Amino acid sequence: MLLMDQTIQGASALIIDSNSSSRSLMSAQLRDLGVGTVRQTPRVKDARVMLEHHTFDIVLCDYHFDSSDTSGQDLLDELRREGLLPHSTVFVMVTSEATYAKVAEAAEAALDAYLIKPYTSANLAERLTSARQRKRLLRDIFEAIENEDFETAANLCMARFETKAKYWLYAARIGAELLLRLKRFDDARILYEAIIAAKTVPWARLGVARTEVATGNLQKARRTLENLIGELPDYADSHDLMGHVQMEQGDLAEALKTYQTAVNLTPGCLLRLQRCGALGFYSGHRVEALRMLERAMSLGLRSKLFDMLSVVLVGLIRFDNKDYKGFKYAHDALTSALERAPGAIRLQRFDLVFRGLSYLLERRVGQALLIAREFTDQADAGDFDLEVASLLSALWLRLSSQEVELEEMMPVLKTLGLRHCTSKASTEILVAMAETHEGAADQFRDCHQQIFNVAETAMRHSLRGTAKVAVELLIQQGELTRSAKLIDMAGLVLRRHAEKIEGAQDLAQRIDELHNRYVKPMGSGTIKTRATGGVALRSGSGKAAAPA
């Protein structure tokens, strides 16, 4: 037995391959190289759960799986995005010559290695030795990330890149992610463009687009992505980011088409299925939405990558279709999740939606009205975000379809609209929840216009030299509407003109109080967007330290 390194006997490995002969061969090869513990599984679904709950030093994963749309790349992509692979884990993709190009992209994304069949034990040893050596050599960077000292980690990456030290390209990508997280957008862009000049790689060009999105230059980002997609139409991450840009511009129909392309490229990707299904729901394509969301449920209902919002959207569609059996299945899935995490506020709110709809199905309208009021009482909370606002709107609007006079509904929807109709995308999501209720849809659009008018008036005051009036207006309207847009804008105007504003410190304190209550807690959105095309950097908390 030839040991690869001194620590290999204490290492554990996971083999993911649908072919039993291949699994036996790889297991024997790993044991011959000195790996102490080797586990196997034939299914991606089981592998996902094993990797979520156990740490492995080495993962050997086949690209293709018989009788499954899910590929090894789908698994790798989701684990990478969620930060579920520790930095110490070496992930090696195994593939045939026919899928080499796709696997090369996957290996580049994961920053580890790949093997082309047939391969020898020597080939495997070479790949593993190189990857493990690289992780040891860059240990100082990984330790800084684990300790959440992102500034130090970014500087270490920059230093390695600038001196072109060993593994500089690997360090450059991690450094660019950290710079984005630290909001050092100019430095991140410089790093990505330097990488492109040194070696044209898709993720670096995508990184440039990400910096453009982060700095609010959506049109420029869209042009960058159009060029990238034109040259590399099979690069799924670029479609993810393009869909996000289209969403931000309020173009839900085009965003849905773009996300569908990403799903078609990676049909087994749990995150993309859910994102596309949710957007299909909000853009009115309910048949397609149901298909994707229920496929996501079948693939990974118990996975950490699964978002229970998908179950709620399935419940709403099944309710509208009067499919009592399908509705109950979705409700039971949520109930099981709530039993596993009884203190989860988000799941408790989802349960209110299901309980209200259940009463409507039973024609117990009075009980459903009580649930809607109980749900509405939570709307003042700082963490009552767009996601929950859309579901509360959905419940009230389904109540109104029961031929019941609900004078209180429109004031409730107006309150939600003033707080959450801060952009084209958020407004269109709430409009979509209005279904066929034209009055509700018009009111949400009016709320968006009202917030826009306040912001525009404040900007005119600022440009005319009466910045204090602008800040006071934004604070007053921010308190009234709880709009994150107006509260953030008040802070920006105050910082820009602080020297000219009397009592700036008191105003800053009022803004901070509003920000802490209504802006900071709002961590989840209806359509959750992660660091598309980026590496999820796992910090000491065990959570992915994704860039902002």
Side-chain angles (χ1 to χ4, degrees):
M1 180 173 69
L2 178 64
L3 297 180
M4 286 194 304
D5 55 58
Q6 295 179 348
T7 63
I8 197 65
Q9 287 181 303
S12 61
L14 175 63
I15 297 169
I16 314 166
D17 195 311
S18 57
N19 186 293
S20 59
S21 299
S22 295
R23 293 199 307 275
S24 297
L25 176 61
M26 283 189 274
S27 179
Q29 288 173 330
L30 287 171
R31 293 189 189 281
D32 286 344
L33 294 173
V35 178
T37 303
V38 180
R39 296 181 64 183
Q40 307 176 20
T41 181
R43 300 197 305 173
V44 171
K45 184 177 180 179
D46 295 337
R48 183 186 285 123
V49 174
M50 293 171 73
L51 288 164
E52 287 175 1
H53 294 91
H54 302 283
T55 298
F56 294 91
D57 300 288
I58 298 167
V59 177
L60 297 185
C61 181
D62 195 32
Y63 180 85
H64 175 75
F65 288 81
D66 296 332
S67 304
S68 174
D69 289 333
T70 305
S71 69
Q73 182 172 345
D74 295 333
L75 174 65
L76 174 60
D77 186 52
E78 295 199 38
L79 294 170
R80 172 175 60 88
R81 285 168 177 270
E82 289 296 311
L84 295 174
L85 282 176
H87 295 299
S88 58
T89 299
V90 173
F91 196 108
V92 181
M93 193 80 78
V94 183
T95 185
S96 63
E97 187 74 36
T99 52
Y100 165 76
K102 290 185 177 180
V103 173
E105 175 190 314
E108 182 181 77
L111 306 170
D112 284 327
Y114 55 89
L115 280 168
I116 300 175
K117 299 176 182 177
Y119 62 89
T120 65
S121 292
N123 296 144
L124 176 60
E126 179 186 356
R127 293 288 195 280
L128 291 177
T129 301
S130 175
R132 285 168 65 82
Q133 180 189 21
R134 180 172 59 195
K135 290 184 184 285
R136 284 194 294 270
L137 191 62
L138 302 181
R139 183 178 296 167
D140 55 347
I141 294 172
F142 295 141
E143 286 180 349
I145 294 171
E146 291 287 346
N147 294 328
E148 301 189 8
D149 186 357
F150 303 122
E151 193 77 45
T152 296
N155 292 335
L156 289 169
C157 290
M158 290 286 284
R160 184 165 290 274
F161 171 77
E162 289 167 356
T163 60
K164 295 297 185 289
K166 195 170 184 179
Y167 305 127
W168 64 269
L169 189 60
Y170 184 111
R173 185 169 197 194
I174 295 174
E177 295 296 326
L178 291 165
L179 291 170
L180 279 173
R181 189 182 194 283
L182 294 166
K183 300 188 186 302
R184 292 167 55 182
F185 301 128
D186 291 339
D187 289 339
R189 183 185 178 91
I190 290 169
L191 193 54
Y192 279 126
E193 290 180 338
I195 296 166
I196 293 171
K199 177 182 178 181
T200 301
V201 285
W203 55 260
R205 295 171 63 187
L206 187 64
V208 171
R210 289 172 59 206
T211 62
E212 290 164 350
V213 170
T215 52
N217 197 339
L218 297 180
Q219 276 302 114
K220 194 170 183 180
R222 192 161 181 164
R223 288 194 296 271
T224 300
L225 290 165
E226 286 170 352
N227 292 333
L228 179 55
I229 290 171
E231 294 177 32
L232 296 166
D234 292 340
Y235 188 33
D237 278 348
S238 59
H239 294 283
D240 285 341
L241 188 59
M242 176 64 91
H244 169 65
V245 170
Q246 291 164 335
M247 274 288 297
E248 287 297 308
Q249 293 178 326
D251 195 349
L252 269 63
E254 285 302 310
L256 178 60
K257 292 178 185 177
T258 302
Y259 283 139
Q260 285 172 330
T261 301
V263 168
N264 291 335
L265 288 169
T266 57
C269 178
L270 198 58
L271 293 170
R272 288 188 176 117
L273 277 170
Q274 292 180 97
R275 181 192 296 120
C276 196
L279 185 53
F281 178 92
Y282 292 113
S283 59
H285 295 77
R286 300 295 168 82
V287 174
E288 181 70 2
L290 183 63
R291 184 181 70 82
M292 290 193 177
L293 293 171
E294 291 199 327
R295 173 162 173 72
M297 287 177 68
S298 68
L299 282 175
L301 186 58
R302 295 294 295 271
S303 169
K304 289 181 180 177
L305 303 178
F306 187 82
D307 187 350
M308 293 308 293
L309 174 64
S310 298
V311 171
V312 185
L313 298 183
V314 167
L316 285 167
I317 296 173
R318 290 301 187 190
F319 173 88
D320 293 339
N321 294 343
K322 296 182 170 55
D323 180 351
Y324 306 119
K325 184 177 179 181
F327 176 83
K328 185 177 185 306
Y329 175 74
H331 194 183
D332 288 346
L334 179 70
T335 300
S336 297
L338 194 54
E339 287 172 354
R340 296 192 297 272
I345 300 298
R346 186 167 179 252
L347 295 185
Q348 291 172 8
R349 287 170 174 164
F350 289 172
D351 187 54
L352 283 174
V353 177
F354 271 109
R355 285 165 54 198
L357 295 176
S358 295
Y359 284 132
L360 288 178
L361 286 175
E362 297 167 4
R363 299 188 179 280
R364 298 167 65 184
V365 178
Q367 292 297 320
L369 182 57
L370 291 176
I371 292 291
R373 289 169 176 166
E374 179 185 345
F375 199 177
T376 303
D377 287 342
Q378 301 181 27
D380 285 340
D383 61 352
F384 202 88
D385 58 12
L386 175 61
E387 173 184 271
V388 199
S390 69
L391 296 178
L392 177 56
S393 300
L395 182 56
W396 273 109
L397 287 158
R398 281 160 180 78
L399 258 171
S400 72
S401 67
Q402 303 296 309
E403 299 180 0
V404 178
E405 290 292 332
L406 294 174
E407 294 181 359
E408 62 196 287
M409 183 184 78
M410 294 302 284
V412 169
L413 298 186
K414 183 175 182 179
T415 299
L416 296 175
L418 288 173
R419 181 171 179 183
H420 298 290
C421 291
T422 57
S423 67
K424 286 183 179 180
S426 61
T427 302
E428 288 306 311
I429 285 171
L430 289 176
V431 167
M433 300 308 282
E435 305 288 338
T436 57
H437 196 295
E438 292 184 6
D442 290 342
Q443 182 165 260
F444 285 136
R445 292 192 177 100
D446 288 344
C447 288
H448 179 234
Q449 187 61 45
Q450 185 174 328
I451 296 301
F452 177 81
N453 290 342
V454 172
E456 194 175 53
T457 301
M459 285 306 298
R460 283 200 298 269
H461 280 296
S462 179
L463 292 172
R464 291 171 182 169
T466 52
K468 184 175 182 180
V469 175
V471 174
E472 289 174 338
L473 172 65
L474 290 167
I475 291 174
Q476 185 261 333
Q477 289 296 312
E479 289 175 333
L480 182 65
T481 65
R482 303 177 179 87
S483 168
K485 179 183 178 72
L486 299 183
I487 295 167
D488 276 339
M489 190 175 177
L492 290 171
V493 175
L494 181 62
R495 283 194 292 275
R496 181 174 296 176
H497 301 283
E499 295 180 357
K500 304 174 184 176
I501 296 177
E502 184 180 350
Q505 190 171 350
D506 291 338
L507 293 173
Q509 186 175 345
R510 289 175 63 190
I511 293 170
D512 284 344
E513 289 172 356
L514 289 173
H515 195 272
N516 289 334
R517 182 170 182 184
Y518 297 118
V519 182
K520 283 185 180 179
M522 295 170 64
S524 61
T526 308
I527 306 292
K528 291 182 172 56
T529 304
R530 298 186 179 278
T532 302
V535 179
L537 301 173
R538 187 178 164 108
S539 65
S541 63
K543 297 179 180 179

